[in-house]
Amino acid sequence: NWTALAFDGDNESDYFDTPRSMNISALVDIALLVTNIDFGSKNIGDTDDTDDGSPAPFSLRNNGNVEIEVNITENSTNSLFASQQAPSVYYQFKADNTSGEPGAFDWENSVTVYTNVPRTPTNTTIFKKFNYTDTIDEAQIDINITVPPDESQGYKESTIEFIGYYQVL
């Protein structure tokens, strides 16, 4: 709320009687730039991750107008591995900087070491204070998998859900 007062350098008016108000809305808008990760064919015990860029990690951009927090969860009828459902050491994630945009999130308070992927209804905050400024508004999520020793052969898939929200401090 605010009121106005006129001043011409010599004289000033009375305050305007009716207070005015202004509303600034927070916009939470995230875009998933890399939407699929394909690890290809793997054998029992094989480990692979997106740290080296092959395959490419998930990439996320904050298109909103406020710093946000981003949660992650596996939202799927079936977990990636039938023999070891998430959360498990066989399916993990971590936050990472995108090349050319370091500092897009609060590194110390985000999940920057491999952590077990949570499963709905549980989720984990991966990014804290994810920036919206154009030059530092992108970050990536690395995925690490290891094929469990008792996993059956066949096609495997999982759906990861990213949820952005504004955290009023």
Side-chain angles (χ1 to χ4, degrees):
N1 292 327
W2 54 275
T3 57
L5 167 74
F7 179 68
D8 66 5
D10 292 321
N11 300 309
E12 68 182 39
S13 70
D14 291 332
Y15 281 98
F16 187 74
D17 289 338
T18 308
R20 304 290 179 179
S21 64
M22 181 181 348
N23 183 19
I24 300 173
S25 298
L27 173 64
V28 176
D29 181 4
I30 55 177
L32 192 57
L33 307 175
V34 173
T35 60
N36 292 298
I37 298 175
D38 186 349
F39 286 103
S41 296
K42 299 291 174 217
N43 294 314
I44 297 293
D46 284 354
T47 296
D48 199 358
D49 63 45
T50 60
D51 266 337
D52 60 3
S54 179
F58 289 116
S59 180
L60 208 61
R61 180 187 304 129
N62 182 352
N63 285 335
N65 64 2
V66 291
E67 285 184 342
I68 60 172
E69 295 188 0
V70 178
N71 283 3
I72 183 173
T73 188
E74 180 188 43
N75 190 359
S76 181
T77 307
N78 299 314
S79 194
L80 178 62
F81 298 117
S83 64
Q84 297 289 330
Q85 288 197 349
S88 80
V89 296
Y90 297 99
Y91 190 23
Q92 300 182 315
F93 74 94
K94 71 177 177 72
D96 203 355
N97 286 313
T98 296
S99 179
E101 297 203 28
F105 59 92
D106 180 352
W107 186 269
E108 290 182 12
N109 292 304
S110 298
V111 180
T112 57
V113 296
Y114 277 119
T115 303
N116 298 343
V117 171
R119 188 147 190 229
T120 301
T122 303
N123 59 55
T124 299
T125 301
I126 184 170
F127 296 124
K128 294 274 192 171
K129 296 185 178 181
F130 188 22
N131 200 308
Y132 61 95
T133 308
D134 191 38
T135 56
I136 52 170
D137 63 348
E138 292 182 19
Q140 62 190 37
I141 300 96
D142 286 310
I143 300 293
N144 177 26
I145 63 164
T146 301
V147 181
D150 50 349
E151 187 66 19
S152 61
Q153 292 184 347
Y155 177 79
K156 311 292 179 188
E157 76 174 37
S158 173
T159 300
I160 296 288
E161 186 175 279
F162 300 103
I163 305 158
Y165 62 97
Y166 178 59
Q167 180 67 40
V168 179
L169 299 178

